[in-house]
Amino acid sequence: MSRLTVLHFPDPRLRKKARPVAAVDAQVRQFARDMLETMYAENGIGLAATQVDVQQRVVVMDLSAERNEPLTLVNPEIMEKSGTEEMEEGCLSVPGFTELVQRAEKISYRYLNLDGEEIEAEADGLRAVCIQHEIDHLDGKLFIDYLSPIKRRRVRKKIEKQNKIRAL
Ligand code: K2U
Ligand code: ZN
């Protein structure tokens, strides 16, 4: 198992678009284990491959209180969206910031599990938000992209200041 490095905004690699996984093999299963280790270590409830500088369409998540219900989504796709809802979002790649983001309230989605089987499911609430948040990552999109330009500029300035202090 390996803990991976999570990229931080404004790293341009966070803007890369991930490519579909051709086959769910042992390498993909090992990568998913490494992503889960990293997600738990960083106290996230989700993580996308783009965030660890891998341009493959792989997402991991665990919404359980006991942190013992890991889920890996390979080549996740949202099939249908309905309703709208606002939720406070944060991101492991934009540390220290949370903002209200409007997203679809309910989604139907499909993905490949680690056995390569196609799964179709529906979600609402935090699970729907998390899946939309992570699939955005695979497309190079961050939750701060939904903010006003003024708010987004404020986030960028604060993080660049944080990064300068870290570099001292
Ligand atoms: O992708 C990530 O960076 C992990 C995200 C996933 C997530 C964001 C917003 C809403 C649901 C899931 C977070 O780090 S998970 C921790 C979190 C969740 C909500 C608000 C703040 C932090
Ligand atoms: Zn994120």
Side-chain angles (χ1 to χ4, degrees):
M1 296 265 273
S2 306
R3 180 167 171 181
L4 307 171
T5 301
V6 176
L7 301 176
H8 286 169
F9 175 83
D11 193 312
R13 291 172 290 180
L14 287 168
R15 297 307 185 174
K16 291 184 178 179
K17 187 169 174 62
R19 295 179 299 280
V21 170
V24 182
D25 56 17
Q27 184 187 10
V28 171
R29 284 188 279 272
Q30 178 56 52
F31 176 55
R33 284 192 290 271
D34 292 346
M35 283 184 67
L36 283 164
E37 180 183 345
T38 306
M39 180 193 77
Y40 289 126
E42 303 262 349
N43 296 315
I45 57 175
L47 187 69
T50 310
Q51 294 177 272
V52 291
D53 195 19
V54 172
Q55 284 71 44
Q56 291 211 313
R57 299 188 78 82
V58 179
V59 163
V60 296
M61 37 193 294
D62 185 341
L63 277 64
S64 68
E66 295 75 23
R67 313 288 278 153
N68 60 358
E69 294 176 25
L71 178 65
T72 300
L73 310 176
V74 178
N75 299 340
E77 294 174 80
I78 294 174
M79 308 312 291
E80 288 181 37
K81 295 182 176 181
S82 64
T84 57
E85 65 159 2
E86 261 196 345
M87 188 178 286
E88 188 85 11
E89 295 194 21
C91 182
L92 298 177
S93 294
V94 189
F97 291 91
T98 60
E99 282 289 352
L100 280 174
V101 177
Q102 193 168 84
R103 294 189 189 269
E105 180 186 16
K106 294 186 179 181
I107 61 170
S108 62
Y109 60 105
R110 69 182 178 197
Y111 62 94
L112 298 178
N113 66 15
L114 288 178
D115 295 321
E117 298 162 334
E118 182 164 297
I119 308 291
E120 293 194 4
E122 296 182 352
D124 59 9
L126 182 59
R127 184 174 296 276
V129 170
C130 186
I131 291 168
Q132 293 174 82
H133 179 108
E134 302 308 338
I135 291 178
D136 269 356
H137 273 302
L138 299 180
D139 293 327
K141 198 169 175 73
L142 299 171
F143 82 100
I144 56 173
D145 298 343
Y146 296 94
L147 306 181
S148 67
I150 292 173
K151 274 194 173 181
R152 195 158 62 235
R153 191 177 311 117
R154 191 184 309 150
V155 169
R156 175 186 283 272
K157 292 294 180 199
K158 276 191 178 180
I159 288 186
E160 285 169 346
K161 187 176 177 184
Q162 280 175 359
N163 292 344
K164 279 183 187 152
I165 293 167
R166 277 205 198 102
L168 291 177

